[in-house]
Amino acid sequence: MVEYRYLGRSALKVSPITLGAMMFGEQTPDDVAFRIIDKAREQGINFIDTADVYNGGESERVVGRGIKADRDDWVVATKFVNFHKGGPNLGGYSRKWVYQTVENSLRNLGTDYIDILYLHKAVFDAPLEEPLRAIADLIKAGKLRYFGVSNFRGWRIAEVSHLADQLGIDRPVASQPLYNIVNRTAEAEQLPAAAAYGLGVVSYSPLARGVLTGKYNIGEAPAADTRAGRGDKRIHDVEFREESIAIAKQIAEHARAKGISPADFAMAWVLNNQLITSAIAGPRTEEQWNSYLGALDVKLDAEDEALINRLVSAGHPSTPGFTDPGHPVEGRVPVGAPVQGGLPFARS
């Protein structure tokens, strides 16, 4: 039995595990994707997550075909902001792009409404008011139901909430941060900020893109059929670090001694945080999907929590000083240094 949870302060209920569709339309064959979607629905999963840039829009198209027969049973989330090839306005925060990307996603998904539209990441030099006004208008037009933010630091969660209040529109209902055992940085500001401003948290990469399954070894080339072995840029930028691999081995040993798979333990740890509403599980294969829901039956205890706290300090990544290059730290701009995109306050 799935215990549905309210998403933040909204009246929308979602499953504690979200089906992530990042692999659909490329790594996962369509027939496998459709079986995963059908199985997830039968298991009580009602939340599915994709994005306009996943596999050039193919992920959205596969999701649309997979949920078509039961569209209204699903809470469908997609994202925008990332730039597409072809021009300076095919991405970002402009009203022009918000309208265009929503129409593109509606067409890809084969639906007439999107449940949640996420701002996929911060645009440092663009004003937040413009996309919020456009999103509010699209909600009024019936094309969107809610909106959320992804990869927003705590102060931006506060800022977007305050702006929504000033504009007289509903606040975002969800925040989507990276969060797992070997990267706990979201605990410092993102999770408490979301709780304070009434956003549910739908975290991603609970297994650190597979590192926390314990399948990688330090000093050994990753297997060709793994994400690291395929040369996936994001895992090599973010999760594939010696410190994380070493920690994953210790966790795997601890989990197996308790009769729990490492993957179930890692997912259960994320869900053992009361500030998390749902965690995104993004399978490539049907076997991977079959392994995820076991985490809902795992109950962690004080010993488990203490182990993780010894291995990775609260609010920190496994590697001291690590910062995700896809979401750089903004707080130091030396005098005279070139500024990427302009200062965040330059146009306020």
Side-chain angles (χ1 to χ4, degrees):
M1 295 292 293
V2 170
E3 182 182 344
Y4 297 99
R5 305 166 176 186
Y6 285 113
L7 187 59
R9 293 180 185 165
S10 77
L12 187 67
K13 283 191 170 183
V14 297
S15 50
I17 291 180
T18 300
L19 173 54
M22 191 175 190
M23 295 290 108
F24 295 177
E26 186 182 60
Q27 295 293 330
T28 304
D30 291 359
D31 61 324
V32 175
F34 297 149
R35 286 200 302 272
I36 291 171
I37 290 170
D38 289 342
K39 181 174 289 187
R41 179 178 172 275
E42 291 169 2
Q43 292 165 329
I45 303 303
N46 75 333
F47 203 180
I48 191 165
D49 182 272
T50 183
D52 61 337
V53 293
Y54 291 168
N55 305 320
E58 282 302 311
S59 173
E60 287 185 328
R61 286 187 274 273
V62 171
V63 168
R65 295 198 301 275
I67 68 170
K68 184 176 181 180
D70 306 289
R71 166 65 185 96
D72 292 335
D73 292 343
W74 287 96
V75 175
V76 179
T78 191
K79 312 176 189 77
F80 80 103
V81 169
N82 291 284
F83 280 84
H84 299 242
K85 295 179 180 178
N89 291 311
L90 298 180
Y93 280 176
S94 72
R95 174 179 286 269
K96 174 181 174 62
W97 178 241
V98 175
Y99 272 61
Q100 185 175 340
T101 193
V102 167
E103 292 298 336
N104 290 344
S105 291
L106 289 170
R107 184 166 52 252
N108 287 344
L109 290 163
T111 184
D112 57 2
Y113 72 98
I114 294 164
D115 293 290
I116 301 172
L117 179 71
Y118 287 104
L119 286 79
H120 204 160
K121 63 180 181 179
V123 178
F124 296 160
D125 63 339
L128 268 170
E129 296 95 329
E130 188 168 338
L132 294 195
R133 288 182 186 277
I135 287 169
D137 289 344
L138 288 165
I139 290 173
K140 290 178 182 176
K143 296 186 177 184
L144 304 176
R145 298 293 186 258
Y146 306 90
F147 79 102
V149 297
S150 179
N151 299 301
F152 270 34
R153 300 191 186 278
W155 73 266
R156 276 200 174 86
I157 293 172
E159 177 68 6
V160 76
S161 298
H162 289 149
L163 283 171
D165 292 347
Q166 292 171 15
L167 295 171
I169 64 176
D170 290 339
R171 290 180 178 181
V173 297
S175 171
Q176 189 178 112
L178 171 71
Y179 185 53
N180 55 55
I181 289 173
V182 291
N183 196 331
R184 302 178 61 178
T185 53
E187 294 172 352
E189 291 188 4
Q190 289 169 290
L191 302 190
Y197 288 95
L199 285 70
V201 176
V202 185
S203 61
Y204 68 90
S205 197
L207 306 187
R209 292 184 172 88
V211 168
L212 287 166
T213 64
K215 63 187 175 185
Y216 297 114
N217 297 302
I218 294 173
E220 292 184 11
D225 63 346
T226 64
R227 196 159 182 172
R230 294 193 301 274
D232 181 273
K233 184 177 186 300
R234 281 299 284 163
I235 190 173
H236 284 283
D237 280 351
V238 181
E239 284 93 2
F240 199 67
R241 307 189 305 274
E242 286 192 0
E243 296 87 349
S244 296
I245 294 169
I247 288 168
K249 289 296 185 185
Q250 295 181 67
I251 292 168
E253 183 178 348
H254 172 80
R256 290 186 179 118
K258 299 186 70 169
I260 304 168
S261 76
D264 282 351
F265 184 94
M267 177 72 81
W269 181 86
V270 170
L271 295 174
N272 201 42
N273 186 338
Q274 294 184 53
L275 301 184
I276 299 294
T277 310
S278 185
I280 299 173
R284 178 175 60 87
T285 66
E286 196 169 357
E287 290 73 23
Q288 288 177 351
W289 176 254
N290 292 340
S291 71
Y292 287 128
L293 266 66
L296 297 178
D297 297 321
V298 173
K299 304 299 180 186
L300 302 190
D301 56 26
E303 177 190 10
D304 299 318
E305 290 285 340
L307 170 69
I308 301 307
N309 288 337
R310 288 196 300 272
L311 294 173
V312 184
S313 297
H316 289 268
S318 61
T319 306
F322 172 77
T323 300
D324 183 346
H327 306 284
V329 174
E330 307 164 55
R332 181 167 179 79
V333 183
V335 173
V339 179
Q340 181 69 34
L343 295 172
F345 50 79
R347 298 178 60 190
S348 61

